[in-house]
């Protein structure tokens, strides 16, 4: 072959994209500037060099036998220049759209903070989605002022078409939700037990996004229904996204994912008339549950106050399943995840929850948003229950059974970090609605157990996101994108955002210099090599068959008032069931838990307790001691931050007193509101006039955690004639909330029929004022009462007030 110096031989193959000579040398560099651009020649020569440097796949042997236990790092070749592995040599041509002409190397530029996609239109004119300025946004294009609308009106068509497609399919479950950004901070590195990134260093902070939700209701349902609450946390770690997708209850209804569609179909509105919405109080749910005795434990949780939390900020969260932690040496332990709210665990009364549904169906959503806007950032402590496989084998229950929990008396909860929510989303749809959680999203240091419910969720969550968010590229939606770099050979599909550079979309390769290459065992995710020797079967392990021991544990661990609430909840739900056989079947399950529980429910239903349902377990029943951690009363919280307090006022109020209480409450972190019959200026008998912040109609009693009625003869006289004010006090009393009345305002208690003594004959310490002449001392006592749990000792059945 002739010398390549100053030769154009082979230039045609360099300039073409199909075929090329199999012999000879590539054109020399001096040809550049003539027939072949220098950057193209550089690309072709460099491509030949890196492919020649990899004559075979040196790692192939590592895929087989014992060598597969420790996959090596992928083989690579360093390209002589960035152009070699690029898609096109024209990538250096810059514009406002394609970029600077200096494409990033080894970086996924789509993974940045959400600032890159935030939009603010201040001071800007309207445009179409293509950026064309809109002159008239009031009128469609017509043939004459009274003529037909022209089909050529592309501005109208774009606007209407986009509007028609603004809604995406809602989640099958957990459709109703609210979310916020924040961070997780690790107290101390957990490297002896896990190499997971969030736990790698003392004080390390990991950005997170948390979504709370109800399970059964549709997207437009109310917040305060009786339901399980989702507690899903997306950790944007520096080693990829980890989704801890849990609930506010540590157990579940079923043991195997095979039954999940049945459960959801049963609890959803009945298909023939689509009722009831966001409620389990109907025949199909209780028919299913009564035929699934393994659900008994979960049913007690669902009928407890846990299912009607006062706030998302005041409920616990649990990972539900048993997971694995794996350290750098490949050693594994089992783990349960617990979130405990700093604000304590508090609940709504059922009567209160029902009325809130009408007064403010967005009660929990509003509460979360307002707390963050106010700077009272919600906070939880993360605790771990860690135990070995050997310990798990000694338990009388199976840790792979999601209807069971691990009592804290057996395995203590170790505090390891805190979660703080400190930023509300910019856009509900773009973030809260489009966020995609998936139990399959784990990172090195975290792994699955063989829990059959978890195993099914691993598939289900990924599958549903593909359907709901329009395809396999939902991970490119900004809220779902990780902060860790993404590099793989996945391509195309609906709504693809990333524009992959280069011609290579497979591995192994040589044309891309071997990149992207597998990370190897030291850096990449490797599953725990759990040895398994068993037949393929459909069934459950023997220890799964104990359906009542832990239900008994939960019942025994509740306070007497909490037990009463559980009985009343069962009564309410089953009263709405039409089919008598279903009611009796449910009570037959409860008969295996506790006689008082079963008889209390049956009595309310008007029939005797039926024989207990068959207990199918062949193992001896285990008896647990009560576990205080299972009662909400164990977590009262420490302050009154964001607690809502109504201050009822009317003309003639003691303005000095009202303002003093208001100021003290604000200083303590509460949210007081002056509530009056109407908005406007309220003349005060003492001090300057007050300004009503909300009317008693717009802000009824159920929306507040406590009430204050200041002194003032004329004000009290007006309130005594106001039926809504009297009812306000009645509801605050009936829902066991603190009440502060000063001076003449004590007469309102008598008018409302509110006793100063508890049914037990003891003094009601949550009614403050009659024995306090000093407003400062009274306010301090009121704040102290508000810090604690409700005064549940007031409750009688039926209510006396």
């Amino acid at each position: 072959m002739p010398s390549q110096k100053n030769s154009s031989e082979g230039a045609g193959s360099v300039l073409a994209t199909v075929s090329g000579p199999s012999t000879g040398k590539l054109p020399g560099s001096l040809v550049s500037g003539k027939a072949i651009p220098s950057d193209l020649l550089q690309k072709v020569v460099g491509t030949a060099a890196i492919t020649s440097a990899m004559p075979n796949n040196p790692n192939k042997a590592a895929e087989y036998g014992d060598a597969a236990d420790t996959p090596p790092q992928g083989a690579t070749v360093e390209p002589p220049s960035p152009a070699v592995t690029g898609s096109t040599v024209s990538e250096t041509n810059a514009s406002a759209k394609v970029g600077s002409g200096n494409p990033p190397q080894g970086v996924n530029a789509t993974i940045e903070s959400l600032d890159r996609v935030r939009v603010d239109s201040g001071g800007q004119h309207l445009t179409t989605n293509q950026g064309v300025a809109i002159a008239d946004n009031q009128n469609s294009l017509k043939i004459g002022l009274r003529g037909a609308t022209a089909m050529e009106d592309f501005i109208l068509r774009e606007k209407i078409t986009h509007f028609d497609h603004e809604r995406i399919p809602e989640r099958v479950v957990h459709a109703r939700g609210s979310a916020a950004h924040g961070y997780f901070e690790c107290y101390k590195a957990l490297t002896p037990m896990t190499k997971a990134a969030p736990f790698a260093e003392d004080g390390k902070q990991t950005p997170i996004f948390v979504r709370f939700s109800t399970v059964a209701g549709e997207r437009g349902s109310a917040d305060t229904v009786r339901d399980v609450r989702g507690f899903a946390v997306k950790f944007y770690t520096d080693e990829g996204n980890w989704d801890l997708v849990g609930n506010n209850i540590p157990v579940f209804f079923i043991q195997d994912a095979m039954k999940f569609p049945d459960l959801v179909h049963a609890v959803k509105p009945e298909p023939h008339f689509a009722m009831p919405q966001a409620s389990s109080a109907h025949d199909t749910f209780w028919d299913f549950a009564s035929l699934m005795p393994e659900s008994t434990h979960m049913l007690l949780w669902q009928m407890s106050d846990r299912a009607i939390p006062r706030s998302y900020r005041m409920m616990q969260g649990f990972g539900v399943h048993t997971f694995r932690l794996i350290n750098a040496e490949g050693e594994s332990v089992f783990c349960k995840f617990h979130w405990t709210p700093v604000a304590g665990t508090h609940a709504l009364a059922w009567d209160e929850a029902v009325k809130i549904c009408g007064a403010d169906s967005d009660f929990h959503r509003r509460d979360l948003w307002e707390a963050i806007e106010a700077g009272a950032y919600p906070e939880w402590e993360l605790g771990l229950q860690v135990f070995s496989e050997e310990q798990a084998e000694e338990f009388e229950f199976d840790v792979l059974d999601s209807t069971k929990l691990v009592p804290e008396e057996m395995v203590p909860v170790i505090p390891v970090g805190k979660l703080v929510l400190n930023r509300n989303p910019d856009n509900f749809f773009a973030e809260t609605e489009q966020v995609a959680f998936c139990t399959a999203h784990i990172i090195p240091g975290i792994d699955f157990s063989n829990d059959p419910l978890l195993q099914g969720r691993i598939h289900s969550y990924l599958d549903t996101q593909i359907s709901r968010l329009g395809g396999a590229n939902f991970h490119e939606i900004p809220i779902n994108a990780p902060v860790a770099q993404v590099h793989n050979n996945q391509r195309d599909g609906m709504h693809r955002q990333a524009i992959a550079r280069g011609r290579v979309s497979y591995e192994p390769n040589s044309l891309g210099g071997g990149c992207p290459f597998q990370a190897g065992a030291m850096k990449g995710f490797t599953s725990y090599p759990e040895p398994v020797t068993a037949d393929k079967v459909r069934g459950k392990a023997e220890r799964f068959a104990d359906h009542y021991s832990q239900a008994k544990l939960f019942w025994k661990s509740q306070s007497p008032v909490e037990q009463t609430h559980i009985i009343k909840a069962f009564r309410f739900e089953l009263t709405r069931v039409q089919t008598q056989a279903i009611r009796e079947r449910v009570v037959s399950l409860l008969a295996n838990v506790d006689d008082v529980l079963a008889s209390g429910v049956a009595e309310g239903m008007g029939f005797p307790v039926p024989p207990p349902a068959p207990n199918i377990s062949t193992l001896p029943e285990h008896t647990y001691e009560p576990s205080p951690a299972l009662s909400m009363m164990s977590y009262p919280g420490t302050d009154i931050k964001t607690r809502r307090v109504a201050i009822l006022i009317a003309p003639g109020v003691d303005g000095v007193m009202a303002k003093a209480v208001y100021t003290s409450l604000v200083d303590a972190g509460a949210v007081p509101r002056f509530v009056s019959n109407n908005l406007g200026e309220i003349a005060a008998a003492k001090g300057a006039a007050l300004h009503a912040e909300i009317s008693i109609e717009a802000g009824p009693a159920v929306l507040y955690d406590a009430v204050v009625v200041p002194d003032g003869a004329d004000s009290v006289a007006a309130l005594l004639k106001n039926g809504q004010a009297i009812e306000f006090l009645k509801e605050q009393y009936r829902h066991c909330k603190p009440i502060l009345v000063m001076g003449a305002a004590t007469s309102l208690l008598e008018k409302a029929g509110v006793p100063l003594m508890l049914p037990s004959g003891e003094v009601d310490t949550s009614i403050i004022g009659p024995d306090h002449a000093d407003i400062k001392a009274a306010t301090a006592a009121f704040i102290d009462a508000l810090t604690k749990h409700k005064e549940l000792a007031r409750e009688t059945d039926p209510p006396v007030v």
Side-chain angles (χ1 to χ4, degrees):
M1 174 173 274
S3 169
Q4 297 299 301
K5 186 175 182 180
N6 295 323
S7 172
S8 61
E9 187 174 345
S13 293
V14 174
L15 294 170
T17 57
V18 178
S19 192
S22 59
T23 57
K25 296 180 180 180
L26 291 172
S29 60
L30 293 181
V31 178
S32 63
K34 297 181 180 178
I36 305 175
S38 59
D39 48 5
L40 178 57
L41 182 62
Q42 188 179 39
K43 179 177 176 62
V44 173
V45 172
T47 297
I50 61 173
T51 54
S52 298
M54 194 181 294
N56 55 51
N57 180 356
N59 288 338
K60 193 64 181 176
E63 298 176 19
Y64 305 95
D66 293 341
D69 292 339
T70 53
Q73 178 174 300
T76 64
V77 176
E78 182 71 22
S81 77
V84 173
T85 54
S87 305
T88 169
V89 295
S90 66
E91 66 183 1
T92 57
N93 297 333
S95 79
K97 178 62 178 177
V98 301
S100 65
N102 183 28
Q105 308 299 314
V107 172
N108 183 336
T110 69
I111 309 302
E112 297 174 7
S113 76
L114 293 182
D115 284 343
R116 67 189 172 88
V117 291
R118 290 195 172 99
V119 177
D120 181 79
S121 299
Q124 304 300 314
H125 57 244
L126 281 168
T127 72
T128 67
N129 286 333
Q130 309 307 314
V132 178
I134 297 173
D136 185 343
N137 191 48
Q138 317 309 316
N139 304 289
S140 54
L141 182 65
K142 305 178 186 70
I143 311 302
L145 291 178
R146 300 182 66 249
T149 299
M151 283 195 67
E152 71 182 65
D153 190 349
F154 67 95
I155 296 175
L156 170 67
R157 293 174 70 181
E158 179 191 88
K159 186 175 182 180
I160 293 295
T161 299
H162 193 280
F163 174 78
D164 290 343
H165 295 269
E166 283 180 358
R167 294 295 175 266
I168 63 174
E170 70 175 30
R171 294 167 171 87
V172 176
V173 287
H174 298 276
R176 172 75 182 182
S178 304
H181 294 274
Y183 64 89
F184 171 76
E185 182 177 314
C186 177
Y187 292 155
K188 188 174 182 178
L190 301 181
T191 47
M193 66 178 70
T194 179
K195 59 183 179 181
F199 310 114
E201 302 170 17
D202 296 3
K204 182 176 181 178
Q205 290 190 354
T206 300
I208 54 90
F209 190 70
V210 179
R211 186 177 185 269
F212 307 104
S213 56
T214 54
V215 173
E218 296 173 1
R219 191 158 50 192
S221 57
D223 278 346
T224 58
V225 296
R226 178 180 294 281
D227 199 355
V228 183
R229 297 303 191 283
F231 195 124
V233 184
K234 185 179 289 290
F235 293 78
Y236 299 97
T237 86
D238 45 23
E239 293 189 358
N241 285 356
W242 169 36
D243 292 350
L244 182 56
V245 193
N247 290 330
N248 71 325
I249 292 174
V251 294
F252 203 60
F253 296 96
I254 53 176
Q255 298 171 322
D256 194 302
M258 181 70 82
K259 302 308 297 175
F260 192 72
D262 299 301
L263 168 66
V264 174
H265 287 169
V267 77
K268 283 287 190 178
E270 297 193 10
H272 60 306
F273 57 16
M275 293 186 290
Q277 173 57 236
S279 173
S280 58
H282 56 103
D283 287 48
T284 58
F285 172 73
W286 287 103
D287 181 38
F288 174 80
S290 64
L291 295 170
M292 301 287 288
E294 62 265 44
S295 69
T296 306
H297 187 196
M298 179 64 173
L299 290 175
L300 264 68
W301 282 84
Q302 188 187 17
M303 294 301 108
S304 77
D305 292 342
R306 300 273 185 165
I308 41 174
R310 157 62 179 82
S311 164
Y312 289 136
R313 302 176 293 113
M314 299 171 191
M315 68 183 193
Q316 289 179 285
F318 303 92
V320 180
H321 308 286
T322 298
F323 290 86
R324 286 186 181 275
L325 301 180
I326 302 174
N327 65 16
E329 286 70 46
E331 300 165 332
S332 170
V333 290
F334 282 141
C335 174
K336 292 274 194 177
F337 295 99
H338 295 244
W339 298 107
T340 302
V342 172
T345 53
H346 299 272
L348 300 169
W350 176 240
D351 179 69
E352 185 182 10
V354 170
K355 291 172 179 175
I356 289 174
C357 282
D360 185 0
S361 60
D362 303 308
F363 185 74
H364 286 153
R365 179 173 293 175
R366 193 181 315 281
D367 174 270
L368 179 66
W369 180 277
E370 290 179 350
I372 295 173
E373 291 297 288
Y377 300 141
E379 186 173 331
W380 289 259
E381 186 168 67
L382 177 63
L384 306 182
Q385 283 181 297
V386 179
F387 48 96
S388 67
E389 293 192 54
E390 292 72 25
Q391 286 177 285
E393 285 302 313
E394 296 299 318
F395 296 159
E396 65 281 353
F397 54 89
D398 199 318
V399 298
L400 304 184
D401 180 356
S402 289
T403 68
K404 309 294 195 302
L405 53 79
V406 179
E408 294 186 27
E409 288 71 23
M410 296 176 63
V411 180
V413 175
I414 306 167
V416 300
K418 67 177 181 180
L419 180 155
V420 179
L421 299 181
N422 61 0
R423 193 191 196 288
N424 279 316
D426 284 297
N427 183 272
F428 186 91
F429 178 83
E431 297 169 84
T432 305
E433 191 62 25
Q434 289 197 125
V435 67
F437 292 96
C438 182
T439 50
H441 295 165
I442 57 175
I443 56 175
I446 310 289
D447 206 349
F448 310 116
S449 72
N450 292 333
D451 178 337
L453 180 60
L454 172 60
Q455 293 284 315
R457 292 179 73 200
I458 293 168
H459 164 74
S460 177
Y461 279 64
L462 177 63
D463 190 48
T464 195
Q465 304 302 357
I466 291 173
S467 172
R468 194 175 68 86
L469 296 173
N473 291 313
F474 65 86
H475 62 282
E476 293 191 326
I477 297 173
I479 192 63
N480 296 320
V483 296
Q485 286 287 300
V486 174
H487 297 287
N488 56 48
N489 292 310
Q490 296 171 15
R491 295 291 188 270
D492 309 338
M494 292 181 67
H495 312 304
R496 184 69 172 179
Q497 302 297 305
I499 300 174
R501 177 176 176 268
R503 64 198 287 190
V504 167
S505 57
Y506 55 90
E507 191 280 331
N509 69 72
S510 67
L511 288 170
C515 300
F517 53 90
Q518 66 183 33
M522 293 304 294
K523 291 184 179 181
F525 179 88
T526 54
S527 296
Y528 180 70
E530 179 183 7
V532 177
T533 302
D535 298 329
K536 290 182 180 179
V537 295
R538 293 187 186 273
K540 302 178 182 71
E542 185 64 33
R543 283 186 294 173
F544 277 56
D546 178 6
H547 300 149
Y548 303 110
S549 294
Q550 290 209 353
K552 292 179 178 180
L553 165 65
F554 181 75
W555 173 259
K556 290 192 301 185
S557 301
Q558 303 304 292
S559 67
V561 172
E562 288 175 300
Q563 290 181 343
T564 298
H565 290 177
I566 291 172
I567 291 173
K568 293 174 70 175
F570 272 109
R571 286 181 184 179
F572 173 84
E573 296 268 325
L574 295 177
T575 297
R576 296 183 66 84
V577 169
Q578 289 185 302
T579 308
Q580 177 64 12
I582 294 174
R583 295 171 176 161
E584 293 179 358
R585 205 185 297 145
V586 174
V587 178
S588 75
L589 298 179
L590 303 182
N592 284 313
V593 178
D594 185 83
D595 291 341
V596 172
L597 170 62
S599 61
V601 176
E603 180 183 353
M605 302 302 299
F607 59 81
V609 177
N615 188 342
I616 63 173
S617 178
T618 60
L619 300 175
E621 186 173 290
H622 186 79
T623 301
Y624 297 88
E625 292 299 316
S627 176
L630 299 182
S631 169
M632 294 181 70
M633 299 298 104
S634 297
Y635 309 98
T638 57
D639 56 48
I640 65 169
K641 288 180 179 177
T642 73
R643 290 303 193 107
R644 300 176 181 179
V645 181
I647 303 178
L648 295 182
I649 60 174
V653 66
D654 185 332
V656 174
M657 177 183 290
K659 285 185 177 179
V661 175
Y662 194 103
T663 300
S664 296
L665 290 170
V666 170
D667 290 343
V671 183
R673 308 293 301 281
F674 284 133
V675 181
S676 189
N677 202 47
N678 300 298
L679 296 180
E681 187 173 275
I682 307 297
K686 294 182 180 179
L690 304 179
H691 299 275
E693 298 176 90
I694 189 170
S695 72
I696 202 167
E697 290 181 333
V702 290
L703 301 183
Y704 300 95
D705 298 292
V707 63
V708 176
V709 188
D711 197 7
D714 290 345
S715 175
V716 171
L719 293 174
L720 283 167
K721 298 176 184 177
N722 186 333
Q724 288 178 313
I726 299 302
E727 186 62 28
F728 200 109
L729 284 174
K730 285 183 177 182
E731 293 221 318
Q732 290 282 300
Y733 178 84
R734 194 180 299 136
H735 298 150
C736 305
K737 299 173 181 178
I739 299 172
L740 171 60
V741 290
M742 293 298 294
T746 57
S747 61
L748 286 165
L749 297 180
E750 183 177 356
K751 179 68 177 291
V754 171
L756 301 180
M757 309 297 287
L758 296 170
S760 65
E762 299 176 6
V763 174
D764 189 333
T765 57
S766 288
I767 298 179
I768 295 101
D771 297 327
H772 288 81
D774 177 60
I775 184 61
K776 187 174 182 180
T779 303
F782 178 70
I783 290 174
D784 181 63
L786 189 53
T787 303
K788 302 172 183 176
H789 281 289
K790 293 179 176 180
E791 187 56 80
L792 296 174
R794 287 181 194 164
E795 289 190 349
T796 58
D797 187 12
V800 296
V801 174

